[in-house]
Amino acid sequence: MPILRLLTEIISPQTHFLITRPETKLGQELISQLQTHPNTEIITGLDGPADVIIHLAGFDPPSLSETLFHTSHLHKLLDTAISHKSRFILVIPAKKTALQETAVSLVTQFGHNFSLDYRIIELPHSLDASESVSEIIHTFLPHFKKTPALLLSSPPALKTRRQPSKLFLLPLLLLIPWVFLLIQGLALYLSTTCSLKKFQQGQIAPSARCAGVSKFLAQTLKPQVNFSLGSGYILTSLGLPPAPTLDSIIKLSESLKIASQVGDLLLARTFNSTEITTQTNRLNESLAFFLTSSQSVPRLSRLSQQVSLIRSSLLKVQPVLTDLPILLSQNQKTTVLLLLQDSTEVRPSGGFLSHFAIASLENSRLADFRFYDTSSTDSQLRGQVDPPADLSHALGESNWYLRDVNWNLDFPSVATKALWFVEKEIGATAESVVSLHLDTFVQLLKITGPVKISPSGAVISASNFYNYYLSHVSAETASPPFLSQFYPALFSKLENLSPQQYSQGLTLFINSLLNRQTFVYRADSPKTSLAYLGWDGGVAVPSCRSSLPCLVNYLYPVEANVGINKVNPFISRQSQLRFSFTSEKVESIYSLTLENTSPQPSWPNGPYKNYIRLLLPIQSQPASVTIDGKEVSFTSTPFQNKIEIGFLSTTLPKSVSQIVIRWHQPLPQYQRFHYQLDFLNQPGLFQYPVTVTVTYPSGWFASTSSVPALVSAGQLQYNLVISRINTLDIDFSKP
């Protein structure tokens, strides 16, 4: 038994129990019995994730009851259970008190609103501590048996030396099958993790190999597990998955192998979109089947999170599969205008447009590309082009050029105007427009490996790109010479990618679309699924996501560096968003904190002169804009059935700016209504944290599928990371 227990602790993940009030008699007995069970670890504080939280409520001296039952303390425990998907067990004595009823009500409400897995156990006074603990443990370990105390003590030392007996081999022989089971279970877990990880990274062939191993191990384990059903509690304690979960792993592995076949079709650059759609539907079904069957197996929670992430991305990608032949120019030749933007000088669609390229795409391969810098082509523009009013105000320009074409917040408008400028300046036309920025190229360097640029011979990698670039920019030219050398060197490598590099590059491209770092606009067919997914960079307000009457909130904050410097790598940001509901309207406050950590006050660093715009729903009524507590003027203009707020701010080196924007919206006059928020991220900006706080009157009831970081009376709080579109949906009921 000691050897088996040692192997179990090494190979099988432990179950962590968080127990409150461990100093009570009931807490001590509970810890004592759990410690006799293998693979358990006791936690007595909120210092780590727990699989099971046991809250002993009301078993203290009266002087401690007020503290123990305090709502904020119970909130922390429930927040921990929701964050880590822990099972929550509330244990109370069989007596009715106001504080006890409050605890039961709060746990029940959390279970209803946030899908909390909870149990409430009332212990009669007639049970002693040992019987009470057995009652608690059997709620999550049905086969648990208390180990007698005599078995836990060491045997007395022998006074006389005995001859070794051959009977000692029998326990070892009986142990061998269980050791093999443990090894197979570990190998199954590792191979399944491998297949999922490689699939996420776009390494299709390695993913298929790992999936093959996973399927073989699951099929091998299944008859052994079925044969050992009578020892189900032993299998569970060893961390081995039950038979239904093995079935789901087999199906998952088969689907990942199917996905690799789809990947092979993509790598061959010739495919049938109907076939790919069929296969991805099968993959989606198997991912859903795995998630359903693994819910009852806590030790598979990490795998479940990976599968959930893959399925979420797959659901977003599926609608565009029918357009892949068009997007990848299968059996045709397409001309693409690539907008190559400098994100160290951020602009609405990614960065300052220092360069562009005209590329020919034929049978999903780069056939030809020509690079241009906008400082040269803009000099060939004939005539006067009036710039947008806010561009003229922010930059002081009286004429509009290609280098500033990405001023608009709506990328289809940017793409259409860019095609016009390119035709006027160099006489070239294109069917598609793709926006890319420097950070995407740095990610590509991780796939292609370092590139050598001429004539300097410098070797540029993902790790040294920004340091080299910022040390070689020139104040005399808007288009840095380094970029004119770097782009051709990188694209030459992209022409000769290996199959694995191609699949990784395709995965990077799709993730870049999902994260709104890249946009694709088709001039010849603008109504493709790209527009439906928002991958064309459009800013259409989404439709209502509920059958209830809707209050739609839409927030798109956009920055534009108008200081003509490369300071954006040294700008950090964090923000807060607060919505306060009243009986008639919603008061909204958006706070943005910008910190400029420029190492030097002069060019290419220096002050961050920033033209900030917010897109809001058309019914919004802007109230004020303050910077560091001082009210500033702003513009408010209609924009595509929305309101655009715009103003200038400046953040000096080694300083912080605090920007606050206020507006309000009328509230729908319905007893029940749906509130939804869509918060868009800007291309070219690194991810940053946002705290969203929603407050509403007492007596209202709020229901949401998103798990808040904090819940209290009349308030919900969420901690978001802005790196793609974030959505929030809440159903409100008024009294």
Side-chain angles (χ1 to χ4, degrees):
M1 178 60 80
I3 298 176
L4 178 59
R5 184 169 182 175
L6 178 62
L7 286 171
T8 302
E9 291 175 352
I10 294 174
I11 296 177
S12 302
Q14 286 189 319
T15 301
H16 299 81
F17 293 86
L18 191 157
I19 300 174
T20 63
R21 309 305 298 159
E23 72 279 6
T24 63
K25 183 177 180 181
L26 186 60
Q28 292 175 0
E29 179 65 18
L30 184 58
I31 292 173
S32 175
Q33 290 200 29
L34 281 175
Q35 286 177 339
T36 68
H37 194 272
N39 306 317
T40 60
E41 182 175 336
I42 308 300
I43 302 174
T44 57
L46 295 176
D47 56 354
D51 300 299
V52 180
I53 297 177
I54 303 176
H55 183 36
L56 304 178
F59 297 94
D60 319 273
S63 59
L64 295 177
S65 294
E66 295 288 337
T67 303
L68 184 60
F69 270 122
H70 196 273
T71 304
S72 62
H73 177 74
L74 187 52
H75 264 298
K76 291 180 181 179
L77 291 173
L78 291 168
D79 287 340
T80 301
I82 292 171
S83 300
H84 301 294
K85 297 182 179 179
S86 310
R87 174 172 293 184
F88 191 92
I89 299 175
L90 175 65
V91 184
I92 54 178
K95 60 181 179 180
K96 300 298 181 182
T97 66
L99 290 177
Q100 176 185 321
E101 291 178 357
T102 300
V104 171
S105 175
L106 190 57
V107 172
T108 304
Q109 183 179 1
F110 265 70
H112 175 72
N113 292 342
F114 310 117
S115 300
L116 173 69
D117 182 6
Y118 72 95
R119 300 288 187 277
I120 298 176
I121 301 175
E122 290 189 4
L123 295 179
H125 290 290
S126 58
L127 295 180
D128 61 18
S130 178
E131 292 173 330
S132 299
V133 166
S134 297
E135 186 73 19
I136 297 170
I137 296 179
H138 282 164
T139 62
F140 52 86
L141 292 177
H143 302 289
F144 178 83
K145 293 183 180 180
K146 183 180 177 182
T147 304
L150 290 176
L151 295 180
L152 298 178
S153 60
S154 301
L158 297 177
K159 296 182 179 180
T160 59
R161 185 175 181 182
R162 297 181 180 179
Q163 294 295 325
S165 171
K166 294 182 180 181
L167 290 176
F168 79 94
L169 293 175
L170 182 59
L172 291 178
L173 291 175
L174 294 174
L175 184 61
I176 289 175
W178 296 106
V179 173
F180 274 112
L181 274 174
L182 290 170
I183 294 173
Q184 290 178 76
L186 176 62
L188 174 62
Y189 180 86
L190 294 176
S191 59
T192 307
T193 303
C194 165
S195 62
L196 291 170
K197 184 177 180 181
K198 298 296 183 184
F199 183 77
Q200 285 177 292
Q201 295 173 347
Q203 300 182 35
I204 304 299
S207 173
R209 288 194 292 270
C210 290
V213 174
S214 176
K215 179 182 177 181
F216 170 78
L217 289 169
Q219 290 175 330
T220 304
L221 267 172
K222 186 177 177 181
Q224 300 177 64
V225 170
N226 288 334
F227 179 76
S228 306
L229 284 179
S231 304
Y233 69 95
I234 298 179
L235 294 173
T236 302
S237 67
L238 295 179
L240 295 174
T245 305
L246 289 174
D247 288 332
S248 68
I249 291 177
I250 292 171
K251 190 171 182 179
L252 176 64
S253 301
E254 291 173 346
S255 298
L256 288 172
K257 294 195 73 174
I258 292 171
S260 71
Q261 296 169 8
V262 175
D264 292 338
L265 292 173
L266 292 174
L267 294 177
R269 276 78 162 181
T270 56
F271 56 90
N272 183 305
S273 59
T274 303
E275 181 183 355
I276 290 182
T277 302
T278 301
Q279 301 293 10
T280 50
N281 284 336
R282 289 180 59 188
L283 177 58
N284 180 40
E285 290 173 2
S286 69
L287 294 175
F289 180 75
F290 178 84
L291 289 173
T292 302
S293 62
S294 62
Q295 285 180 351
S296 59
V297 187
R299 292 189 177 96
L300 295 180
S301 59
R302 290 186 181 179
L303 283 181
S304 298
Q305 291 173 3
Q306 285 182 285
V307 171
S308 180
L309 182 61
I310 292 175
R311 184 167 183 256
S312 176
S313 300
L314 183 65
L315 290 172
K316 293 179 180 179
V317 172
Q318 275 185 303
V320 84
L321 293 177
T322 54
D323 291 330
L324 275 177
I326 298 174
L327 296 176
L328 298 179
S329 300
Q330 180 184 339
N331 301 324
Q332 60 178 323
K333 186 174 182 179
T334 303
T335 304
V336 182
L337 170 61
L338 302 174
L339 304 182
L340 310 176
Q341 302 165 101
D342 183 355
S343 51
T344 65
E345 186 177 343
V346 76
R347 291 290 174 88
S349 62
F352 175 71
L353 186 56
S354 61
H355 293 76
F356 67 93
I358 304 294
S360 295
L361 196 64
E362 187 172 4
N363 291 328
S364 307
R365 295 180 184 274
L366 279 172
D368 181 42
F369 43 83
R370 290 162 288 158
F371 293 90
Y372 305 86
D373 65 79
T374 54
S375 61
S376 297
T377 61
D378 282 344
S379 64
Q380 302 176 44
L381 182 66
R382 299 291 179 262
Q384 172 80 19
V385 182
D386 293 331
D390 50 0
L391 171 62
S392 178
H393 170 67
L395 287 172
E397 295 278 3
S398 59
N399 201 7
W400 198 9
Y401 295 99
L402 177 62
R403 63 175 178 260
D404 295 318
V405 74
N406 59 352
W407 183 259
N408 202 307
L409 306 187
D410 178 60
F411 186 72
S413 302
V414 171
T416 303
K417 199 65 179 179
L419 290 169
W420 184 89
F421 271 114
V422 169
E423 183 179 10
K424 297 299 180 184
E425 293 183 354
I426 64 173
T429 59
E431 291 81 34
S432 302
V433 183
V434 178
S435 71
L436 300 166
H437 60 77
L438 288 184
D439 193 60
T440 304
F441 293 117
V442 172
Q443 298 301 317
L444 272 174
L445 283 173
K446 296 179 181 179
I447 297 173
T448 65
V451 298
K452 187 176 182 179
I453 62 173
S454 300
S456 66
V459 178
I460 307 301
S461 65
S463 59
N464 71 359
F465 176 86
Y466 282 112
N467 287 337
Y468 189 91
Y469 170 50
L470 293 175
S471 63
H472 287 77
V473 291
S474 171
E476 285 73 33
T477 175
S479 300
F482 163 71
L483 294 180
S484 297
Q485 301 159 6
F486 169 73
Y487 288 132
L490 177 62
F491 274 72
S492 294
K493 275 209 163 188
L494 294 177
E495 284 186 294
N496 301 294
L497 294 177
S498 67
Q500 180 171 327
Q501 288 175 323
Y502 179 83
S503 64
Q504 289 178 291
L506 188 59
T507 302
L508 171 63
F509 179 67
I510 292 175
N511 285 332
S512 189
L513 288 169
L514 289 171
N515 296 331
R516 286 179 46 84
Q517 297 300 323
T518 294
F519 297 137
V520 178
Y521 173 77
R522 291 282 303 185
D524 54 348
S525 54
K527 298 301 181 182
T528 63
S529 57
L530 290 170
Y532 169 76
L533 292 167
W535 291 1
D536 66 343
V539 290
V541 175
S543 57
C544 180
R545 293 188 287 266
S546 173
S547 58
L548 294 174
C550 258
L551 174 61
V552 177
N553 205 346
Y554 180 91
L555 181 63
Y556 185 21
V558 179
E559 300 178 27
N561 183 343
V562 294
I564 315 177
N565 58 16
K566 309 298 179 183
V567 73
N568 277 94
F570 306 101
I571 302 299
S572 62
R573 55 189 54 77
Q574 58 183 353
S575 61
Q576 295 181 336
L577 191 55
R578 187 177 184 88
F579 302 109
S580 300
F581 286 79
T582 67
S583 58
E584 296 181 351
K585 60 184 178 179
V586 184
E587 298 280 356
S588 303
I589 302 175
Y590 177 64
S591 302
L592 175 65
T593 303
L594 296 174
E595 182 178 6
N596 185 347
T597 59
S598 297
Q600 55 190 31
S602 58
W603 200 93
N605 305 141
Y608 183 36
K609 189 178 180 183
N610 182 13
Y611 190 74
I612 301 177
R613 284 171 283 178
L614 261 72
L615 276 187
L616 303 172
I618 189 65
Q619 70 271 26
S620 301
Q621 300 176 30
S624 65
V625 175
T626 61
I627 301 178
D628 296 329
K630 298 180 180 179
E631 193 162 330
V632 299
S633 61
F634 63 92
T635 61
S636 176
T637 55
F639 178 85
Q640 295 187 8
N641 197 33
K642 289 173 283 295
I643 292 291
E644 178 185 308
I645 299 174
F647 57 93
L648 279 167
S649 76
T650 300
T651 307
L652 298 174
K654 307 296 182 183
S655 68
V656 176
S657 295
Q658 182 67 43
I659 300 161
V660 180
I661 305 113
R662 291 179 170 85
W663 71 97
H664 58 84
Q665 294 174 257
L667 192 69
Q669 296 304 307
Y670 298 98
Q671 186 175 6
R672 296 184 63 208
F673 68 94
H674 178 78
Y675 174 76
Q676 66 182 49
L677 168 68
D678 284 67
F679 194 129
L680 278 67
N681 65 306
Q682 179 183 349
L685 294 186
F686 295 109
Q687 65 182 28
Y688 60 97
V690 175
T691 301
V692 180
T693 304
V694 179
T695 60
Y696 50 91
S698 60
W700 286 28
F701 180 77
S703 176
T704 174
S705 57
S706 305
V707 178
L710 181 66
V711 180
S712 60
Q715 180 173 295
L716 302 172
Q717 189 176 94
Y718 302 85
N719 296 328
L720 307 179
V721 175
I722 303 302
S723 58
R724 59 172 63 185
I725 296 179
N726 280 264
T727 60
L728 185 63
D729 294 88
I730 307 174
D731 290 336
F732 283 108
S733 296
K734 301 179 188 178

